[in-house]
């Protein structure tokens, strides 16, 4: 090949950028570095969009002006709310990435005045008397009240504004926990919601078959524990021997924040099947002595961290006691959603703690030598047909022992591992009884091999149980203590 041919060949090979490089080719040039992420302060001063930025500077500046107009101190709440409506309307048609630019603006541009906050904190630290400290505290509180707070309050003013804020926070909560860019906005919304949705501003309403159809549809939509399969199923849950109550907020009419379904029976329920049986005979409520809370559903993802479930249960218990003086027992029939997954991860070391006799019986039932190491995977495999296990089965007894340990011993920072246990024990209940085969559905088998649990609300011991929990001790009944002893 002559020199001209070699020169042409080299030129052609350089143009073939889409072909993969070979061992004989020259080292590729390093990929250009990604453009550094700019703050909204930098982007507002810029002319052109850069990198992965969504909104161009011109649009970002216009959005910033709308936010400033809505949060302006000199305008009234009504006028601020009217201006906030413009942003809400823009948000409704904005892409998710563009919405995040709005969140960034709210986080970075509307925070507290850092210098004012520092001065207020210094004055508080240097206060020499209670009078000076009280005055300094007032100044510190005012310094902490940022333009962001005022802006979010203005968003709540127009019709649909509260719904907008709840949905916005629900979107925030869907982001990966590692994404901390919007932490300040999330924290401020949670703080405002804890005030706006305080139980003092909520109304307890009974929901019945005579409630508006739009409200009944909400029950079907939001039911989170036992799916409502049909209108007949719903009617059964609202029959004369049942009660359903929800908390409502005046700014969200026709929208329950949380609701509870109650069965009026004559003893602790050990299975969800008869409670959901559409053909079961209606109970004689004049003889009812027990109220079973068998489903509690939060409806607003944006209210995560704002707790009013304990208040709902107390209000419902008081309401039922007034209507049915014979009621003496208030308890739940609850799923154990975290049990199976926890046992799969932690079962092997737990099984090693079993006493010798039940451990040897379980080993033989699993086809192992009496002193063999018990692997949780083998136990889980044997438990696949849990519903068919006889009462004295070592596998069945082992699962009950493990479940009692999970609910009565396992905690993190003093809080139960299981989310449902965390809710009820945090509200002052105790772990009362485990029920084998309580939920024979596919969901029940997936979560807990069909096991369900009763949490008992002894209205005279709620504070005692909370005190135990604060000490890191999970309140349990004697039945659970007996199971734990093996």
């Amino acid at each position: 090949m002559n020199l001209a041919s070699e020169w042409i060949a080299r030129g052609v090979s350089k143009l073939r950028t889409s072909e993969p490089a070979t061992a004989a080719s020259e080292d590729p040039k390093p990929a250009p570095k990604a453009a550094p992420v700019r703050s909204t302060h930098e982007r507002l001063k810029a002319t052109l969009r850069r990198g992965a930025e969504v909104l161009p500077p011109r649009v970002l500046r216009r959005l910033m002006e709308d936010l400033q107009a809505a949060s302006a101190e000199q305008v009234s709440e009504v006028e601020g709310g009217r201006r906030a409506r413009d942003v809400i309307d823009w948000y409704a048609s904005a892409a998710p990435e563009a919405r995040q630019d709005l969140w960034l603006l709210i986080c970075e541009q509307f925070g507290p005045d850092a210098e004012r906050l520092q001065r207020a904190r210094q004055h508080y630290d240097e206060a020499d008397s209670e009078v000076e400290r009280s005055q300094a505290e007032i100044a510190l509180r005012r310094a902490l009240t940022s333009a962001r707070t005022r802006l979010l309050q203005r968003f709540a003013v127009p019709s649909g504004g509260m719904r907008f804020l709840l949905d916005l926070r629900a979107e925030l909560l869907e982001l990966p926990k590692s994404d901390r860019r919007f932490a300040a906005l999330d924290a401020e919304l949670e703080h405002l919601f804890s005030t706006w949705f305080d139980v003092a501003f909520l109304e307890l309403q009974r929901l019945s078959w005579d409630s508006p159809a739009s409200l009944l549809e909400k029950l079907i939509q939001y039911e989170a524990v036992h799916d409502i399969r049909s209108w007949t199923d719903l009617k059964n849950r609202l029959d004369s021997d049942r009660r359903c109550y929800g908390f409502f907020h005046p700014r969200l009419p026709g929208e329950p924040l949380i609701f509870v379904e109650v069965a009026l029976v004559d003893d602790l329920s050990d299975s969800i099947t008869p409670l959901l049986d559409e053909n079961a005979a209606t109970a004689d409520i004049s003889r009812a002595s027990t109220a079973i809370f068998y489903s509690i559903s939060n409806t607003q993802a944006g209210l995560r961290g704002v707790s009013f479930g304990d208040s709902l249960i107390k209000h419902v218990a008081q309401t039922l006691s007034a209507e049915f003086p014979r009621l003496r027992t208030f308890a739940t029939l609850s799923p154990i959603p975290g049990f199976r997954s926890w046992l799969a991860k932690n079962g092997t070391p737990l099984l090693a703690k079993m006493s010798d006799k039940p451990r040897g019986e379980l080993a033989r039932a699993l086809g192992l030598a009496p002193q063999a190491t018990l692997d949780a995977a083998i136990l889980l495999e044997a438990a696949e047909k849990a519903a068919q296990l006889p009462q004295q089965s070592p596998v069945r007894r082992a699962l009950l022992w493990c479940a009692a340990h999970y609910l009565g011993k396992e905690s993190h920072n003093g809080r139960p591992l299981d989310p449902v246990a965390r809710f009820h024990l945090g509200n002052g209940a105790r772990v009362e009884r485990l029920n084998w085969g309580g939920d024979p559905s596919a969901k029940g088998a997936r979560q807990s091999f069909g096991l369900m649990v009763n949490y008992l609300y002894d209205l005279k011991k709620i504070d005692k149980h909370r005190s135990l929990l604060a000490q890191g001790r999970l309140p349990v009944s004697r039945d659970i203590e007996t199971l734990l002893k093996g």
Side-chain angles (χ1 to χ4, degrees), residues 451-471:
L451 279 168
M452 297 192 79
V453 59
N454 300 117
Y455 295 103
L456 180 71
Y457 280 88
D458 186 334
L459 302 183
K460 296 180 180 179
K461 295 183 179 180
I462 283 178
D463 290 339
K464 176 185 177 180
H465 293 157
R466 280 179 161 170
S467 178
L468 287 174
L469 193 62
Q471 299 169 28

PDB file of all heavy atoms in Angstrom, residues 451-471:
ATOM      1  N   LEU A 451     -51.007 -16.241  59.872  1.00  0.00           N
ATOM      2  CA  LEU A 451     -51.138 -15.802  61.262  1.00  0.00           C
ATOM      3  C   LEU A 451     -51.715 -14.387  61.342  1.00  0.00           C
ATOM      4  O   LEU A 451     -51.401 -13.532  60.522  1.00  0.00           O
ATOM      5  CB  LEU A 451     -49.768 -15.803  61.953  1.00  0.00           C
ATOM      6  CG  LEU A 451     -49.245 -17.145  62.473  1.00  0.00           C
ATOM      7  CD1 LEU A 451     -47.785 -17.020  62.847  1.00  0.00           C
ATOM      8  CD2 LEU A 451     -50.056 -17.576  63.693  1.00  0.00           C
ATOM      9  N   MET A 452     -52.558 -14.166  62.356  1.00  0.00           N
ATOM     10  CA  MET A 452     -53.024 -12.832  62.690  1.00  0.00           C
ATOM     11  C   MET A 452     -52.852 -12.625  64.189  1.00  0.00           C
ATOM     12  O   MET A 452     -52.591 -13.576  64.938  1.00  0.00           O
ATOM     13  CB  MET A 452     -54.487 -12.624  62.280  1.00  0.00           C
ATOM     14  CG  MET A 452     -54.743 -12.720  60.785  1.00  0.00           C
ATOM     15  SD  MET A 452     -56.400 -12.134  60.314  1.00  0.00           S
ATOM     16  CE  MET A 452     -56.145 -10.358  60.338  1.00  0.00           C
ATOM     17  N   VAL A 453     -52.991 -11.390  64.639  1.00  0.00           N
ATOM     18  CA  VAL A 453     -52.763 -11.072  66.042  1.00  0.00           C
ATOM     19  C   VAL A 453     -53.851 -10.135  66.546  1.00  0.00           C
ATOM     20  O   VAL A 453     -54.362  -9.296  65.791  1.00  0.00           O
ATOM     21  CB  VAL A 453     -51.365 -10.428  66.235  1.00  0.00           C
ATOM     22  CG1 VAL A 453     -51.224  -9.151  65.414  1.00  0.00           C
ATOM     23  CG2 VAL A 453     -51.080 -10.139  67.706  1.00  0.00           C
ATOM     24  N   ASN A 454     -54.232 -10.319  67.810  1.00  0.00           N
ATOM     25  CA  ASN A 454     -55.113  -9.360  68.484  1.00  0.00           C
ATOM     26  C   ASN A 454     -54.253  -8.398  69.295  1.00  0.00           C
ATOM     27  O   ASN A 454     -53.414  -8.825  70.085  1.00  0.00           O
ATOM     28  CB  ASN A 454     -56.075 -10.061  69.446  1.00  0.00           C
ATOM     29  CG  ASN A 454     -56.990 -11.056  68.771  1.00  0.00           C
ATOM     30  OD1 ASN A 454     -56.936 -12.247  69.064  1.00  0.00           O
ATOM     31  ND2 ASN A 454     -57.844 -10.598  67.879  1.00  0.00           N
ATOM     32  N   TYR A 455     -54.449  -7.101  69.086  1.00  0.00           N
ATOM     33  CA  TYR A 455     -53.880  -6.084  69.972  1.00  0.00           C
ATOM     34  C   TYR A 455     -55.024  -5.587  70.849  1.00  0.00           C
ATOM     35  O   TYR A 455     -56.084  -5.202  70.343  1.00  0.00           O
ATOM     36  CB  TYR A 455     -53.280  -4.927  69.182  1.00  0.00           C
ATOM     37  CG  TYR A 455     -52.099  -5.315  68.333  1.00  0.00           C
ATOM     38  CD1 TYR A 455     -52.243  -5.487  66.949  1.00  0.00           C
ATOM     39  CD2 TYR A 455     -50.854  -5.524  68.902  1.00  0.00           C
ATOM     40  CE1 TYR A 455     -51.162  -5.856  66.167  1.00  0.00           C
ATOM     41  CE2 TYR A 455     -49.767  -5.887  68.114  1.00  0.00           C
ATOM     42  CZ  TYR A 455     -49.931  -6.055  66.748  1.00  0.00           C
ATOM     43  OH  TYR A 455     -48.850  -6.425  65.973  1.00  0.00           O
ATOM     44  N   LEU A 456     -54.826  -5.593  72.154  1.00  0.00           N
ATOM     45  CA  LEU A 456     -55.870  -5.208  73.092  1.00  0.00           C
ATOM     46  C   LEU A 456     -55.676  -3.764  73.549  1.00  0.00           C
ATOM     47  O   LEU A 456     -54.581  -3.377  73.966  1.00  0.00           O
ATOM     48  CB  LEU A 456     -55.857  -6.124  74.314  1.00  0.00           C
ATOM     49  CG  LEU A 456     -56.920  -5.817  75.378  1.00  0.00           C
ATOM     50  CD1 LEU A 456     -58.298  -6.194  74.871  1.00  0.00           C
ATOM     51  CD2 LEU A 456     -56.604  -6.539  76.686  1.00  0.00           C
ATOM     52  N   TYR A 457     -56.750  -2.991  73.463  1.00  0.00           N
ATOM     53  CA  TYR A 457     -56.752  -1.622  73.981  1.00  0.00           C
ATOM     54  C   TYR A 457     -57.486  -1.619  75.322  1.00  0.00           C
ATOM     55  O   TYR A 457     -58.719  -1.542  75.370  1.00  0.00           O
ATOM     56  CB  TYR A 457     -57.429  -0.669  72.996  1.00  0.00           C
ATOM     57  CG  TYR A 457     -56.537  -0.242  71.865  1.00  0.00           C
ATOM     58  CD1 TYR A 457     -56.450  -0.990  70.697  1.00  0.00           C
ATOM     59  CD2 TYR A 457     -55.772   0.910  71.968  1.00  0.00           C
ATOM     60  CE1 TYR A 457     -55.623  -0.597  69.653  1.00  0.00           C
ATOM     61  CE2 TYR A 457     -54.942   1.321  70.930  1.00  0.00           C
ATOM     62  CZ  TYR A 457     -54.875   0.557  69.780  1.00  0.00           C
ATOM     63  OH  TYR A 457     -54.046   0.946  68.760  1.00  0.00           O
ATOM     64  N   ASP A 458     -56.719  -1.755  76.412  1.00  0.00           N
ATOM     65  CA  ASP A 458     -57.282  -1.612  77.750  1.00  0.00           C
ATOM     66  C   ASP A 458     -57.241  -0.126  78.074  1.00  0.00           C
ATOM     67  O   ASP A 458     -56.173   0.431  78.342  1.00  0.00           O
ATOM     68  CB  ASP A 458     -56.447  -2.419  78.753  1.00  0.00           C
ATOM     69  CG  ASP A 458     -57.056  -2.424  80.148  1.00  0.00           C
ATOM     70  OD1 ASP A 458     -57.787  -1.465  80.482  1.00  0.00           O
ATOM     71  OD2 ASP A 458     -56.794  -3.375  80.908  1.00  0.00           O
ATOM     72  N   LEU A 459     -58.386   0.527  78.027  1.00  0.00           N
ATOM     73  CA  LEU A 459     -58.421   1.982  78.125  1.00  0.00           C
ATOM     74  C   LEU A 459     -57.845   2.497  79.437  1.00  0.00           C
ATOM     75  O   LEU A 459     -57.430   3.659  79.521  1.00  0.00           O
ATOM     76  CB  LEU A 459     -59.859   2.479  77.948  1.00  0.00           C
ATOM     77  CG  LEU A 459     -60.534   2.087  76.626  1.00  0.00           C
ATOM     78  CD1 LEU A 459     -61.923   2.702  76.529  1.00  0.00           C
ATOM     79  CD2 LEU A 459     -59.686   2.487  75.434  1.00  0.00           C
ATOM     80  N   LYS A 460     -57.792   1.637  80.473  1.00  0.00           N
ATOM     81  CA  LYS A 460     -57.224   2.044  81.758  1.00  0.00           C
ATOM     82  C   LYS A 460     -55.710   1.856  81.822  1.00  0.00           C
ATOM     83  O   LYS A 460     -55.074   2.341  82.761  1.00  0.00           O
ATOM     84  CB  LYS A 460     -57.890   1.257  82.895  1.00  0.00           C
ATOM     85  CG  LYS A 460     -59.383   1.527  83.053  1.00  0.00           C
ATOM     86  CD  LYS A 460     -59.966   0.721  84.193  1.00  0.00           C
ATOM     87  CE  LYS A 460     -61.463   0.986  84.344  1.00  0.00           C
ATOM     88  NZ  LYS A 460     -62.068   0.182  85.456  1.00  0.00           N
ATOM     89  N   LYS A 461     -55.148   1.138  80.845  1.00  0.00           N
ATOM     90  CA  LYS A 461     -53.719   0.837  80.901  1.00  0.00           C
ATOM     91  C   LYS A 461     -52.946   1.385  79.707  1.00  0.00           C
ATOM     92  O   LYS A 461     -51.787   1.015  79.500  1.00  0.00           O
ATOM     93  CB  LYS A 461     -53.513  -0.677  80.994  1.00  0.00           C
ATOM     94  CG  LYS A 461     -54.042  -1.284  82.282  1.00  0.00           C
ATOM     95  CD  LYS A 461     -53.743  -2.773  82.351  1.00  0.00           C
ATOM     96  CE  LYS A 461     -54.252  -3.369  83.663  1.00  0.00           C
ATOM     97  NZ  LYS A 461     -53.970  -4.835  83.758  1.00  0.00           N
ATOM     98  N   ILE A 462     -53.577   2.241  78.919  1.00  0.00           N
ATOM     99  CA  ILE A 462     -52.908   2.771  77.730  1.00  0.00           C
ATOM    100  C   ILE A 462     -51.636   3.518  78.109  1.00  0.00           C
ATOM    101  O   ILE A 462     -50.574   3.326  77.509  1.00  0.00           O
ATOM    102  CB  ILE A 462     -53.878   3.668  76.935  1.00  0.00           C
ATOM    103  CG1 ILE A 462     -54.863   2.788  76.157  1.00  0.00           C
ATOM    104  CG2 ILE A 462     -53.116   4.575  75.974  1.00  0.00           C
ATOM    105  CD1 ILE A 462     -55.896   3.557  75.361  1.00  0.00           C
ATOM    106  N   ASP A 463     -51.719   4.374  79.135  1.00  0.00           N
ATOM    107  CA  ASP A 463     -50.529   5.128  79.556  1.00  0.00           C
ATOM    108  C   ASP A 463     -49.451   4.207  80.110  1.00  0.00           C
ATOM    109  O   ASP A 463     -48.255   4.432  79.884  1.00  0.00           O
ATOM    110  CB  ASP A 463     -50.919   6.176  80.597  1.00  0.00           C
ATOM    111  CG  ASP A 463     -51.741   7.311  80.016  1.00  0.00           C
ATOM    112  OD1 ASP A 463     -51.667   7.510  78.779  1.00  0.00           O
ATOM    113  OD2 ASP A 463     -52.462   7.984  80.772  1.00  0.00           O
ATOM    114  N   LYS A 464     -49.856   3.158  80.827  1.00  0.00           N
ATOM    115  CA  LYS A 464     -48.889   2.196  81.360  1.00  0.00           C
ATOM    116  C   LYS A 464     -48.146   1.492  80.218  1.00  0.00           C
ATOM    117  O   LYS A 464     -46.927   1.330  80.256  1.00  0.00           O
ATOM    118  CB  LYS A 464     -49.604   1.168  82.237  1.00  0.00           C
ATOM    119  CG  LYS A 464     -48.678   0.064  82.743  1.00  0.00           C
ATOM    120  CD  LYS A 464     -49.456  -0.992  83.512  1.00  0.00           C
ATOM    121  CE  LYS A 464     -48.536  -2.142  83.946  1.00  0.00           C
ATOM    122  NZ  LYS A 464     -49.294  -3.191  84.695  1.00  0.00           N
ATOM    123  N   HIS A 465     -48.886   1.083  79.202  1.00  0.00           N
ATOM    124  CA  HIS A 465     -48.266   0.389  78.078  1.00  0.00           C
ATOM    125  C   HIS A 465     -47.318   1.318  77.311  1.00  0.00           C
ATOM    126  O   HIS A 465     -46.251   0.898  76.863  1.00  0.00           O
ATOM    127  CB  HIS A 465     -49.342  -0.161  77.142  1.00  0.00           C
ATOM    128  CG  HIS A 465     -50.158  -1.247  77.760  1.00  0.00           C
ATOM    129  ND1 HIS A 465     -51.433  -1.568  77.325  1.00  0.00           N
ATOM    130  CD2 HIS A 465     -49.903  -2.083  78.803  1.00  0.00           C
ATOM    131  CE1 HIS A 465     -51.903  -2.559  78.053  1.00  0.00           C
ATOM    132  NE2 HIS A 465     -51.006  -2.887  78.954  1.00  0.00           N
ATOM    133  N   ARG A 466     -47.704   2.569  77.173  1.00  0.00           N
ATOM    134  CA  ARG A 466     -46.818   3.527  76.512  1.00  0.00           C
ATOM    135  C   ARG A 466     -45.546   3.743  77.320  1.00  0.00           C
ATOM    136  O   ARG A 466     -44.457   3.914  76.766  1.00  0.00           O
ATOM    137  CB  ARG A 466     -47.551   4.857  76.312  1.00  0.00           C
ATOM    138  CG  ARG A 466     -48.485   4.870  75.121  1.00  0.00           C
ATOM    139  CD  ARG A 466     -49.172   6.194  75.004  1.00  0.00           C
ATOM    140  NE  ARG A 466     -49.723   6.419  73.690  1.00  0.00           N
ATOM    141  CZ  ARG A 466     -50.530   7.412  73.386  1.00  0.00           C
ATOM    142  NH1 ARG A 466     -50.871   8.290  74.318  1.00  0.00           N
ATOM    143  NH2 ARG A 466     -50.999   7.555  72.166  1.00  0.00           N
ATOM    144  N   SER A 467     -45.684   3.744  78.642  1.00  0.00           N
ATOM    145  CA  SER A 467     -44.522   3.902  79.504  1.00  0.00           C
ATOM    146  C   SER A 467     -43.570   2.721  79.349  1.00  0.00           C
ATOM    147  O   SER A 467     -42.343   2.896  79.284  1.00  0.00           O
ATOM    148  CB  SER A 467     -44.974   4.029  80.966  1.00  0.00           C
ATOM    149  OG  SER A 467     -43.864   4.131  81.828  1.00  0.00           O
ATOM    150  N   LEU A 468     -44.115   1.511  79.271  1.00  0.00           N
ATOM    151  CA  LEU A 468     -43.278   0.326  79.046  1.00  0.00           C
ATOM    152  C   LEU A 468     -42.525   0.432  77.728  1.00  0.00           C
ATOM    153  O   LEU A 468     -41.331   0.118  77.642  1.00  0.00           O
ATOM    154  CB  LEU A 468     -44.148  -0.936  79.047  1.00  0.00           C
ATOM    155  CG  LEU A 468     -44.695  -1.406  80.398  1.00  0.00           C
ATOM    156  CD1 LEU A 468     -45.662  -2.576  80.190  1.00  0.00           C
ATOM    157  CD2 LEU A 468     -43.554  -1.822  81.318  1.00  0.00           C
ATOM    158  N   LEU A 469     -43.246   0.886  76.698  1.00  0.00           N
ATOM    159  CA  LEU A 469     -42.626   1.021  75.383  1.00  0.00           C
ATOM    160  C   LEU A 469     -41.502   2.052  75.422  1.00  0.00           C
ATOM    161  O   LEU A 469     -40.454   1.867  74.790  1.00  0.00           O
ATOM    162  CB  LEU A 469     -43.681   1.414  74.349  1.00  0.00           C
ATOM    163  CG  LEU A 469     -43.286   1.293  72.883  1.00  0.00           C
ATOM    164  CD1 LEU A 469     -42.970  -0.154  72.525  1.00  0.00           C
ATOM    165  CD2 LEU A 469     -44.395   1.818  71.984  1.00  0.00           C
ATOM    166  N   ALA A 470     -41.699   3.140  76.159  1.00  0.00           N
ATOM    167  CA  ALA A 470     -40.665   4.165  76.283  1.00  0.00           C
ATOM    168  C   ALA A 470     -39.425   3.615  76.966  1.00  0.00           C
ATOM    169  O   ALA A 470     -38.302   4.116  76.752  1.00  0.00           O
ATOM    170  CB  ALA A 470     -41.207   5.360  77.056  1.00  0.00           C
ATOM    171  N   GLN A 471     -39.591   2.561  77.783  1.00  0.00           N
ATOM    172  CA  GLN A 471     -38.463   1.921  78.452  1.00  0.00           C
ATOM    173  C   GLN A 471     -37.831   0.829  77.596  1.00  0.00           C
ATOM    174  O   GLN A 471     -36.907   0.143  78.033  1.00  0.00           O
ATOM    175  CB  GLN A 471     -38.928   1.319  79.777  1.00  0.00           C
ATOM    176  CG  GLN A 471     -39.499   2.321  80.770  1.00  0.00           C
ATOM    177  CD  GLN A 471     -40.192   1.641  81.944  1.00  0.00           C
ATOM    178  OE1 GLN A 471     -39.851   0.522  82.331  1.00  0.00           O
ATOM    179  NE2 GLN A 471     -41.191   2.310  82.506  1.00  0.00           N
TER     180      GLN A 471
END
